[in-house]
C-alpha cells in the first residue's frame, strides 16, 4: 500500500478474486512508512521524560493510517466497478482490552460485515485497531494488522486468510544470512509459532497464535507479484501455514533454522541451593513485567548453585539493576553477571517428535565449527542454543547445510 499506484494494484487483485466468486473481506495496513511517520510526529510533541501517559492518543493517532488506506482502497475498488465499503475497527465493532499500543482483541461482532457481504459488497476493515469498553480507539502493536486479519477470518470462518506481504513466503531461514534458503510450501502451525517467536519476522506472533486457536488456514504470499497472474497459481503461491501434518512435512525432520539477537543473558552466581530460589529470582523479574526465556539452574556444589536465564535486550539493564539492588542482597548470592552479546539459534521441526538424535546432531555441527554452547533449551519440536553472537551466522549456515535445508524436499 505504498502509493496510489500500489493501492490500485491491490484493488485490481481484490476485484480479480471477487469476480472469481469469492466473498472478500480485506484488511489493509497503513500506507508504508505512515505509522512510523505518525509516531514520529508524536515523539516531537511529546511531554519531556514522558512515560506512556499519552498512549491513548498514540493509538488515536496511529489508527488513522489504516483508516486512510482502507477508505482509499474502497474508492479504488469502486473505480474498478466493484461495490466496496470500508469500516474502522470501532465501527465493526472489534472489541479489545484497554492496553493502549498493545491491545488484545476480545471479540468481533460480525453481523454488519456479513450483511454487507450478503449484499454483494467487498468489505474493507482497518487492520491494527479496535475499540475498548470505554469507546477508546486502541491499536494491537506493531505489525498488528496481521492479527486483525486472522481474527476477522476466524470470526467469519473464512476459507483461508491470505497475508500479502513484502516477502513471498516463509523460508527455511533468513535468505540474507543463507542465500540457499528455500521457501517452504507448507509449514505447520506449530513450527510457524516457534519460528515467529524466535525472530522470523514474517508475521506478528499473535496472529499465528490466533490462527492456531481458531484453526484459520493462513497463507503468506507476495504483494509484489503482478495482480493479473493466474488466480489458481496465486492461490497456490507463498507458504501455507497448515494444521494437517501431511506426508511431505513428515519427511523434513527439521523445517527451519531460526535465530535472534534480541536477548541477553544474566547469571546469578553462588546462590544458596534452597527451596524458593527460582521463585525469588524470577518472581522479582516477573513482577517488573520482564519476560524470561531460556532458564538454567546448575547442579549445586557445597550448597550453592548458579542460576542463568535470558531476557529481552531492552530489559537487560533493568533486570540487572533489579537483581543487584534488591534480589542478590536478599538472597545472599555471590554476584550477578550479564552478557548482551549472545544470540539464540534454534532448529525447528515437527519431525523431531518422532526422530531421536536430532539435538545431538545439532551439537555435533556446532562443535565441529568450534562454537561453544552456553545454554540449551528444548521443546518437542525445537532445540535452541545460546551462543556468542559473533558466531551466529556461522552457526546458522552450518546447521542449514547439515540438515539439508538447501536441498528440495524429496
Ligand atoms: N501499520 C501498523 C504498523 O506499521 C500495523 C501493520 O502494518 O501491521 O505496525
Ligand atoms: Mg505487516
Amino acid at each position: 500500500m505504498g502509493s496510489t499506484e500500489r493501492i490500485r494494484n491491490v484493488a485490481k487483485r481484490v476485484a480479480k478474486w471477487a469476480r472469481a466468486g469469492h466473498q472478500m473481506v480485506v484488511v489493509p495496513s497503513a500506507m508504508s512508512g505512515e505509522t512510523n511517520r505518525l509516531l514520529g510526529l508524536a515523539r516531537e510533541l511529546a511531554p519531556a521524560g514522558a512515560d506512556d501517559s499519552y498512549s491513548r492518543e498514540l493509538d488515536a493517532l496511529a489508527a488513522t493510517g489504516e483508516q486512510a488506506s482502507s477508505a482509499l482502497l474502497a474508492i479504488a475498488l469502486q473505480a474498478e466497478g466493484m461495490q466496496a465499503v470500508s469500516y474502522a475497527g470501532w465501527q465493526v465493532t472489534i472489541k479489545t482490552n484497554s492496553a493502549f499500543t498493545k491491545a488484545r482483541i476480545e471479540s468481533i461482532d460480525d453481523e454488519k460485515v456479513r450483511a454487507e457481504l450478503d449484499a454483494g459488497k467487498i468489505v474493507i476493515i482497518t487492520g491494527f485497531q479496535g475499540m475498548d469498553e470505554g469507546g477508546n480507539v486502541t491499536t494491537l502493536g506493531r505489525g498488528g494488522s496481521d492479527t486483525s486479519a486472522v481474527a476477522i477470518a476466524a470470526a467469519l470462518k473464512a476459507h483461508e486468510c491470505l497475508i500479502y506481504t513484502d516477502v513471498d513466503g516463509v523460508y527455511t531461514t533468513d535468505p540474507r544470512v543463507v542465500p540457499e534458503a528455500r521457501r517452504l510450501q507448507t509449514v505447520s502451525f506449530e513450527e510457524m509459532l516457534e519460528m515467529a517467536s524466535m525472530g522470523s519476522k514474517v508475521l506478528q506472533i499473535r496472529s499465528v497464535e490466533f490462527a492456531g486457536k481458531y484453526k484459520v488456514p493462513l497463507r503468506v504470499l507476495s504483494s509484489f507479484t503482478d495482480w493479473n497472474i493466474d488466480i489458481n497459481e496465486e492461490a497456490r503461491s507463498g507458504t501455507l501455514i497448515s494444521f494437517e501434518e501431511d506426508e511431505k512435512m513428515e519427511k523434513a525432520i527439521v523445517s527451519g533454522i531460526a535465530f535472534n539477537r534480541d536477548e541477553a543473558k544474566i547469571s546469578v552466581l553462588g546462590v544458596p541451593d534452597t527451596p524458593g530460589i527460582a521463585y525469588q529470582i524470577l518472581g522479582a523479574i516477573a513482577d517488573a513485567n520482564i519476560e524470561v526465556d531460556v532458564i538454567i539452574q546448575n547442579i549445586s556444589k557445597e550448597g550453592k548453585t548458579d542460576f542463568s536465564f535470558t531476557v529481552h535486550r531492552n530489559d537487560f539493564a533493568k533486570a540487572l539493576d533489579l537483581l543487584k539492588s534488591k534480589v542478590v542482597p536478599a538472597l545472599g548470592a555471590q554476584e550477578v553477571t550479564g552478557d548482551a552479546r549472545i544470540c539464540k539459534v534454534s532448529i525447528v521441526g515437527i519431525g523431531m517428535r518422532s526422530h531421536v538424535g536430532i539435538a545431538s546432531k545439532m551439537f555435533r555441527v556446532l562443535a565441529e565449527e568450534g562454537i561453544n554452547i552456553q545454554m540449551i533449551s528444548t521443546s518437542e519440536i525445537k532445540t535452541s542454543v545460546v551462543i556468542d553472537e559473533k558466531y551466529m551466522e556461522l552457526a546458522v549456515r552450518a546447521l542449514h547445510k547439515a540438515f539439508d535445508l538447501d536441498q528440495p524436499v524429496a
Side-chain angles (χ1 to χ4, degrees):
M1 305 285 282
S3 61
T4 47
E5 193 42 47
R6 300 277 314 150
I7 292 175
R8 191 175 290 125
N9 201 65
V10 173
K12 287 181 190 294
R13 193 189 294 279
V14 172
K16 173 179 77 176
W17 282 92
R19 288 191 185 110
H22 296 279
Q23 287 190 320
M24 302 287 293
V25 175
V26 189
V27 182
S29 60
M31 290 177 74
S32 21
E34 179 63 4
T35 310
N36 287 339
R37 187 186 73 85
L38 292 167
L39 295 177
L41 293 175
R43 264 194 304 276
E44 276 181 43
L45 294 170
D51 43 6
D52 54 1
S53 58
Y54 58 97
S55 58
R56 177 189 181 279
E57 308 311 326
L58 281 180
D59 280 5
L61 174 69
T64 63
E66 273 70 10
Q67 206 163 320
S69 60
S70 294
L72 289 169
L73 181 58
I75 293 168
L77 275 163
Q78 290 175 18
E80 286 301 312
M82 311 302 290
Q83 290 192 63
V85 58
S86 77
Y87 286 102
W90 60 267
Q91 291 175 301
V92 169
T93 325
I94 296 177
K95 285 219 180 86
T96 72
N97 65 13
S98 301
F100 295 117
T101 75
K102 47 177 185 292
R104 283 180 180 264
I105 295 177
E106 286 176 344
S107 65
I108 296 179
D109 181 358
D110 61 356
E111 199 181 328
K112 207 180 290 176
V113 180
R114 277 189 201 283
E116 296 282 25
L117 287 173
D118 290 342
K121 289 186 200 158
I122 295 170
V123 184
I124 300 159
I125 303 176
T126 54
F128 181 49
Q129 60 196 266
M131 186 180 86
D132 75 359
E133 220 176 17
N136 303 296
V137 172
T138 55
T139 69
L140 310 181
R142 300 309 304 270
S145 53
D146 297 342
T147 301
S148 306
V150 176
I152 291 166
L156 294 169
K157 302 189 178 57
H159 174 66
E160 198 168 291
C161 177
L162 306 173
I163 308 258
Y164 288 87
T165 180
D166 53 0
V167 293
D168 67 352
V170 179
Y171 278 70
T172 49
T173 195
D174 187 338
R176 284 169 301 190
V177 173
V178 184
E180 296 80 21
R182 279 182 312 105
R183 179 170 56 82
L184 296 161
Q185 274 182 359
T186 54
V187 65
S188 75
F189 147 74
E190 292 167 281
E191 290 168 325
M192 190 62 214
L193 197 58
E194 292 287 4
M195 292 192 210
S197 67
M198 288 181 311
S200 157
K201 303 246 155 51
V202 180
L203 290 173
Q204 197 196 39
I205 180 158
R206 222 179 273 165
S207 73
V208 183
E209 289 167 358
F210 233 104
K213 191 160 166 201
Y214 296 100
K215 299 237 178 314
V216 179
L218 259 186
R219 184 177 294 274
V220 176
L221 64 175
S222 171
S223 59
F224 290 106
T225 55
D226 187 0
W227 69 269
N228 208 12
I229 62 170
D230 177 67
I231 198 166
N232 295 314
E233 188 187 319
E234 187 166 320
R236 282 191 307 266
S237 68
T239 300
L240 177 68
I241 297 151
S242 122
F243 296 91
E244 280 143 44
E245 304 191 359
D246 66 15
E247 271 174 38
K248 198 161 5 124
M249 297 168 119
E250 296 274 321
K251 276 186 197 152
I253 296 168
V254 171
S255 298
I257 315 285
F259 54 86
N260 79 52
R261 259 180 288 225
D262 301 339
E263 292 182 21
K265 183 176 82 167
I266 293 177
S267 300
V268 187
L269 307 174
V271 189
D273 192 11
T274 51
I277 289 304
Y279 174 64
Q280 281 189 59
I281 297 174
L282 297 179
I285 297 287
D287 288 344
N289 257 320
I290 298 172
E291 265 182 60
V292 169
D293 185 26
V294 184
I295 303 171
I296 291 190
Q297 185 185 331
N298 281 348
I299 195 164
S300 70
K301 231 167 101 189
E302 288 148 20
K304 302 246 176 190
T305 184
D306 300 335
F307 196 90
S308 300
F309 56 94
T310 64
V311 296
H312 196 282
R313 270 190 209 186
N314 295 345
D315 294 325
F316 180 49
K318 189 172 158 195
L320 262 187
D321 216 49
L322 177 73
L323 290 171
K324 282 189 181 150
S325 63
K326 300 227 174 72
V327 181
V328 165
L331 274 178
Q334 266 151 12
E335 66 170 310
V336 186
T337 62
D339 186 358
R341 286 158 320 190
I342 56 149
C343 70
K344 193 170 78 169
V345 176
S346 312
I347 56 174
V348 178
I350 48 175
M352 291 168 74
R353 268 189 199 135
S354 45
H355 289 79
V356 292
I358 306 303
S360 68
K361 178 167 173 181
M362 178 188 201
F363 306 149
R364 192 191 74 220
V365 170
L366 296 173
E368 282 166 4
E369 298 294 340
I371 299 172
N372 184 44
I373 299 172
Q374 302 177 15
M375 303 169 97
I376 300 173
S377 83
T378 62
S379 80
E380 250 197 317
I381 65 161
K382 72 144 202 257
T383 302
S384 305
V385 296
V386 170
I387 60 176
D388 187 323
E389 74 170 2
K390 71 178 178 229
Y391 298 123
M392 186 182 85
E393 301 202 345
L394 175 63
V396 172
R397 280 194 209 109
L399 291 167
H400 195 269
K401 190 159 177 26
F403 286 102
D404 293 327
L405 292 176
D406 45 358
Q407 306 297 323
V409 181

